[in-house]
Structures are given as C-alpha cells and as structure tokens.
Amino acid sequence: MKTRKVQKARRGTESLRSPISSRWTQIGFAVLFLHLLLSGILFSRAMLNSFEPLKLALLLTAGLTLAALGMMALIQRPRWVDIRRGFLSEGHARWACVGLLLFLLSAILSTIFSVSPATSWRGFSESSAGLISLLGCFSIFWATRFLVRSRQDIERLLLALIMASIVVLGYGILQLLGLDPFEWKRVSLLDGKVRPFSTLGHPNYLAKWLIMAIPIVAYFTWQSWKSKSSPWKLCSLLTLTILMTIGVVLTLSRGAMIAMIGAAVFFVITAFPTARRRIVQGLLALTVLAVLILIWKPTLANAVIARGGKLEDAPRLHVWAGSWQVFKEYPITGCGLDTYSFAFAKHQSPKLSWLEWGHYQSRAHNEVLHILATHGLVGFLALGVFVVGLGFCASRAIRHTDPSQRILSICVCTALVGFAIHSLVSFTIIATAVVFFTLSAVLTRLAEKSDSPSPIVAKPGLFRGWRVTLQLLVGLIAIWLGFQFVAQPVMAQLTAGEAETLAKASSFDKAIERYQEARRLDPHQAIFSRLLAQTWRKKGLSER
C-alpha cells in the first residue's frame, strides 16, 4: 500500500514538472525540431519569390500546429499553474516574458493604427514581416519554453540547428566553387565575384545565420571533447566550426565580420573571467597604437579621413535619416508593421534615389530604427523590457555551477550577442528570426531554477465527450486557418511563378490568366497586380 502511494506521488510530481502530458510533449517537440531543421534550408524556384514565402508558410504551419496542440492539451487536463509559469515565468526570466507580451501588444496596436492595416496584418510582398509572421515567431518562443525542460532537451533541439547549418554551409560552398546546380538572376556581386547566399537568399542573411550557429556548434565540439567521444566526431565538429567561421568571412559582409568579432570578445570575457583585465588592457593598447600610427604617418591619417568623407555617399546613412523622420511623423504606434516603404517614400532624399537607382526601401537596415519607425515608442519600450529581461537571464545563466550548463548558456548568449550586433546594420528575415526566438526561449529556461512540484493540485479535465468534441473543433479551426494563411498563399506564389515563366516566353495571354488566378488565390499581395499590369503592357507593345 505504501509503495503504491509513493508511486502515485512520483507520478504526480512528474506531471506537475511538465505542463502537458508526454504524448503532447513528444508531438510538439517533433514539430519544433522539424521546423528548426527546415526553416533555414527550404526554398522553391517554382515560386515567384524563391525564399521567404515558403519559409513563412512553414512558420505558420508550425505555429498553428503548436497552438492547436497546446489547446488540445489544455482541454485534456488544464493545469493553470503551469500555464501561468510558462507565460510569465518566475525570477529573472519573468521580465523577458513580460517584455515579449508587451511587444506583442504593441504590434497589435501598430497594426490597428497602421497606414495600411491589411499590409500590417499579412505582410509586405517582399518582406513577409506582418503580424501573422510575428505571431508565428511568438508561438515558437512559447512552445520552446513549454516543451524544453532540461539541458538534455535543449541539446536535442539544437541538433536541428547544426543539421540545418551543414546543409546551408554545404550549398554555400558549392556556390563559391561555381558548382551551383541552379542559375540565379539576382545575385550580389563584389568586384565581379558572386557572394554566396546559400538557401537564405542573400549573403548578409547567410552571415547572420552562421554567426548564430557557430557558438552552438562550438558548444557541441567542447562537449564532444569533454566526454572523450570518438575522434571522428570531434574532428567533424571542429572542422564544421572552422568552415562556418571562414564562411562568414567569405560572405564579404562588413557588418557580419564586426558582429563575429564582437561575439568572440563577449565569449572570451564571459568564458574566461580571469582574462577580462588582460583583454581590456589589450584593447586599450591597440587603440593607443592605432592613434600613434596615425600621428606618425600623416598620409595614412589623410587616407582615413578621405575614406570617412565618402560616408555621405553611403545609402544606409540616408535610410537611417529617413527612418528617424518616419518615427517623428508616427511617434506613438509607428506607421505600422511592414509598411515602412509606404511611410518612407516621402522622406526618401534625392541623393538616396540617385544612389539606389530609384529603388524603394522596405527595411531600415537597423532593427532599432525599424522598430521605432514601424512600432513607435510603445514598441521600442516593450523591446527594451524584453532585452533587459534577456540580460537578467544571461547574468544568471552564465553563473550556473554545472560546467556544461554554464558553457551552453555562454554559447547561447554569444549567438544572441552576434545577432544583436549584426541587426544594427542589417535586418531580420524569417529564418534568422526563428533561430533568435528559439535561442531566447532557451536562455530563459537556462536562467530558471529546476522545476519543483507545485503545491496546487491541477484541476481535472472536462468530461470525455466534451473533451473530444472541443479538441476536434480546435483541429478543424487550425486546418481552416492553415488553408487560408498557408495553402492559398503558397498556391498563389506557385501560380505567379508559372505566370512569370510564361511571360518570359512571350505567352502573354496565358501569363495574364495565371496572374489573375494568383490574385484570386491571394488578393492581398499587390505584387501580383503590378506584374499583371506589366504583362498587359508588354502584350500591348508586342502587338504594335
């Protein structure tokens, strides 16, 4: 009798340690793992835009699936104590969770008061950064917090990031060697050389992905060395770390190189506390040496000054100045999510139009200024709370007594620092946002104490018949939302891609029909109407 009571008490303790039952946990974790694995490597040349629409569809699919699983688990047996802990957390992680909830509220307000609410809801055609994308990223964050409960779970999840990084790096190497099996039209060139962009669409995006992945691979390398695993595994991980570091350099992204150096300095300072004073002294010595060299070589100083004088021709400075004007025009809630190009148009300087050949700007190339312009002061303050909360989590996590968890925390923080530095001169796409929100959720978990049994007994679930009915209803709603926000936009992109191919082959009548079909499937994308008008114009010119 006593043994049964002990077993019953243990089962109760285990169930309270996990917010959902083991069956829902396994399914949800599999969804998280597959999404993190595929979000960085999927693309389709059959679509009008080969990269972002498919990644957005994958994000929304994962978000809807995780939300539906969470609702079904809550219907199965509601545990309000664990739900509250998951969303608000305790201790240092609470501020990060509160800040993220406030940021979501600011995004909703920005969408309501947007210059184009429909665009803020669905996202601009070339950036896909509307409210539904943000909701998908938030679902990844909260699902990671609920489903990842230990360091072993974190390591299992981050294996997906390593596997994806191998594919991303491998395809980038093929592009460097000129062995790309696909022919791309829009590529980034520097001195006649193609900069690798891999499965992410641009060298800067590739560099940001690698910057966040390198510390994670380095952690697994250290873990392999510490556990004295097979030499083949250790050499493979070490080689992957070195190749990814070289890959960042070969993207020729200046912002990425600065971010990688800053992240490396952060890692050394936090991982080797005794070396902090020497590092600071070394940086001061290098600064003094640089000043002395400039004084000793006036010609070098003049060259540096001349180089600085060309900053007025840097397009990003004009973009940043215009972004500040957009914020001054919409100071409270911003111009609205993903409507930056609409509000920036009247603030675009003639010099910028000349430098960019009349190309419109859809991002501020600085996440702080972009949030000020699109979310306003409300979103900026919410972001500040979130960042401060992550700082609290980092300060606690890197002081953990367990060496493995401490090194893991330092590596996660290093990845986030690299992301933050690079975001000051660039912007975020869906693939890098997924990695960021995943690592942020992991950091909040690492900063928490180990779960302890709650003294509050969970309420029993609903009557079985009602449970099954409500779960079925939740599943049907998720399927309907998936058809509306995933299936139809994907079909529209495929149809538009087919129309573009037909238009290039001068089959204008068929191309017009396909563009009209794409507009019917996804009427919110203005690019389909623009391409349709261009096709009508080409047809008219061809019939002269």
Side-chain angles (χ1 to χ4, degrees):
M1 186 69 179
K2 186 176 180 180
T3 304
R4 290 183 179 178
K5 289 183 178 180
V6 171
Q7 292 177 351
K8 186 176 181 180
R10 288 179 179 175
R11 285 196 299 268
T13 298
E14 292 173 358
S15 62
L16 287 169
R17 286 172 181 263
S18 179
I20 47 183
S21 66
S22 59
R23 179 182 61 181
W24 302 111
T25 301
Q26 293 171 1
I27 299 174
F29 190 89
V31 173
L32 273 179
F33 186 91
L34 288 174
H35 177 252
L36 185 59
L37 172 64
L38 298 176
S39 61
I41 63 179
L42 281 188
F43 67 93
S44 174
R45 286 173 52 83
M47 290 185 172
L48 184 64
N49 185 331
S50 301
F51 299 98
E52 288 300 282
L54 190 57
K55 290 177 171 58
L56 174 61
L58 181 65
L59 173 64
L60 296 181
T61 301
L64 286 171
T65 304
L66 291 169
L69 289 173
M71 290 296 298
M72 290 178 181
L74 182 62
I75 293 170
Q76 182 83 19
R77 183 167 293 274
R79 298 184 183 276
W80 303 109
V81 175
D82 289 317
I83 296 297
R84 178 179 59 81
R85 286 181 178 179
F87 278 101
L88 296 180
S89 184
E90 294 179 350
H92 295 75
R94 172 170 293 181
W95 286 106
C97 297
V98 170
L100 199 59
L101 289 173
L102 291 176
F103 190 76
L104 175 60
L105 179 61
S106 73
I108 295 173
L109 292 175
S110 298
T111 301
I112 294 174
F113 298 102
S114 171
V115 297
S116 176
T119 303
S120 295
W121 168 242
R122 297 295 292 264
F124 190 58
S125 57
E126 295 188 6
S127 51
S128 302
L131 183 59
I132 58 173
S133 304
L134 201 58
L135 290 173
C137 291
F138 283 5
S139 67
I140 298 298
F141 178 89
W142 299 118
T144 304
R145 276 192 51 79
F146 273 97
L147 298 173
V148 175
R149 311 293 292 182
S150 64
R151 180 170 60 86
Q152 290 72 24
D153 290 342
I154 294 173
E155 292 176 353
R156 288 167 53 207
L157 178 62
L158 294 182
L159 279 175
L161 180 60
I162 295 180
M163 295 167 63
S165 299
I166 294 173
V167 178
V168 170
L169 180 65
Y171 187 37
I173 292 175
L174 289 178
Q175 291 176 337
L176 276 173
L177 298 177
L179 301 176
D180 194 338
F182 304 112
E183 181 180 354
W184 301 94
K185 294 185 177 180
R186 297 180 60 182
V187 296
S188 178
L189 298 174
L190 185 63
D191 296 333
K193 297 180 180 179
V194 177
R195 300 165 61 194
F197 53 87
S198 188
T199 59
L200 299 170
H202 194 277
N204 292 342
Y205 309 155
L206 172 61
K208 179 175 281 192
W209 173 281
L210 293 177
I211 287 171
M212 288 190 289
I214 287 172
I216 307 303
V217 179
Y219 166 75
F220 280 93
T221 305
W222 175 85
Q223 191 77 349
S224 177
W225 171 77
K226 180 187 174 184
S227 61
K228 297 181 179 179
S229 59
S230 64
W232 181 86
K233 178 181 178 182
L234 177 60
C235 292
S236 299
L237 289 171
L238 184 60
T239 303
L240 179 61
T241 305
I242 296 173
L243 288 177
M244 292 172 69
T245 305
I246 297 174
V248 174
V249 178
L250 293 179
T251 58
L252 304 178
S253 173
R254 293 166 294 182
M257 295 178 191
I258 295 173
M260 187 169 63
I261 293 172
V265 171
F266 173 85
F267 176 81
V268 173
I269 291 176
T270 53
F272 307 101
T274 57
R276 292 179 185 175
R277 182 177 298 180
R278 295 180 181 179
I279 293 173
V280 174
Q281 291 174 351
L283 291 175
L284 290 175
L286 288 175
T287 303
V288 173
L289 180 62
V291 172
L292 292 177
I293 290 175
L294 292 177
I295 294 175
W296 181 51
K297 289 285 188 180
T299 55
L300 182 60
N302 293 332
V304 173
I305 294 173
R307 176 68 175 172
K310 296 180 181 179
L311 288 176
E312 62 181 8
D313 292 336
R316 291 187 184 181
L317 293 182
H318 296 275
V319 175
W320 293 344
S323 303
W324 183 253
Q325 295 300 321
V326 174
F327 165 66
K328 290 171 65 176
E329 185 178 1
Y330 305 96
I332 306 301
T333 58
C335 62
L337 270 68
D338 224 11
T339 59
Y340 177 85
S341 58
F342 302 161
F344 183 80
K346 61 181 178 182
H347 298 291
Q348 182 166 327
S349 63
K351 185 68 174 291
L352 179 61
S353 299
W354 178 75
L355 291 171
E356 293 289 309
W357 295 80
H359 180 71
Y360 61 88
Q361 301 293 327
S362 59
R363 300 290 185 94
H365 291 274
N366 181 298
E367 285 297 340
V368 176
L369 286 174
H370 190 81
I371 289 174
L372 280 171
T374 57
H375 291 72
L377 193 60
V378 176
F380 178 75
L381 294 176
L383 178 66
V385 175
F386 177 64
V387 172
V388 170
L390 286 181
F392 287 153
C393 293
S395 65
R396 178 180 177 82
I398 61 179
R399 294 198 304 266
H400 202 278
T401 56
D402 180 29
S404 296
Q405 187 155 332
R406 178 176 174 272
I407 295 298
L408 176 59
S409 302
I410 291 174
C411 290
V412 170
C413 292
T414 302
L416 294 176
V417 168
F419 173 88
I421 296 175
H422 193 268
S423 296
L424 295 177
V425 292
S426 182
F427 51 87
T428 305
I429 60 171
I430 292 174
T432 54
V434 167
V435 178
F436 169 76
F437 279 101
T438 301
L439 294 180
S440 299
V442 165
L443 181 59
T444 61
R445 270 302 179 200
L446 290 170
E448 291 178 340
K449 297 180 180 179
S450 57
D451 295 335
S452 57
S454 173
I456 303 176
V457 179
K459 296 181 181 180
L462 298 172
F463 182 72
R464 179 175 177 80
W466 284 105
R467 288 205 310 264
V468 175
T469 303
L470 289 177
Q471 288 174 341
L472 182 60
L473 180 61
V474 168
L476 291 175
I477 292 175
I479 292 173
W480 179 79
L481 291 174
F483 179 76
Q484 292 291 324
F485 295 102
V486 178
Q488 284 193 331
V490 168
M491 290 188 293
Q493 283 285 332
L494 292 172
T495 304
E498 182 184 353
E500 184 182 35
T501 304
L502 291 171
K504 291 177 181 178
S506 300
S507 300
F508 298 118
D509 291 330
K510 293 182 178 180
I512 289 172
E513 292 179 2
R514 302 311 292 163
Y515 277 131
Q516 290 174 341
E517 177 66 14
R519 287 183 60 197
R520 186 190 67 80
L521 291 170
D522 192 0
H524 303 282
Q525 294 295 342
I527 190 172
F528 297 154
S529 300
R530 187 183 72 188
L531 293 175
L532 176 61
Q534 291 178 358
T535 306
W536 274 109
R537 179 177 178 273
K538 291 178 181 178
K539 179 185 177 182
L541 292 174
S542 65
E543 293 177 351
R544 282 187 174 182

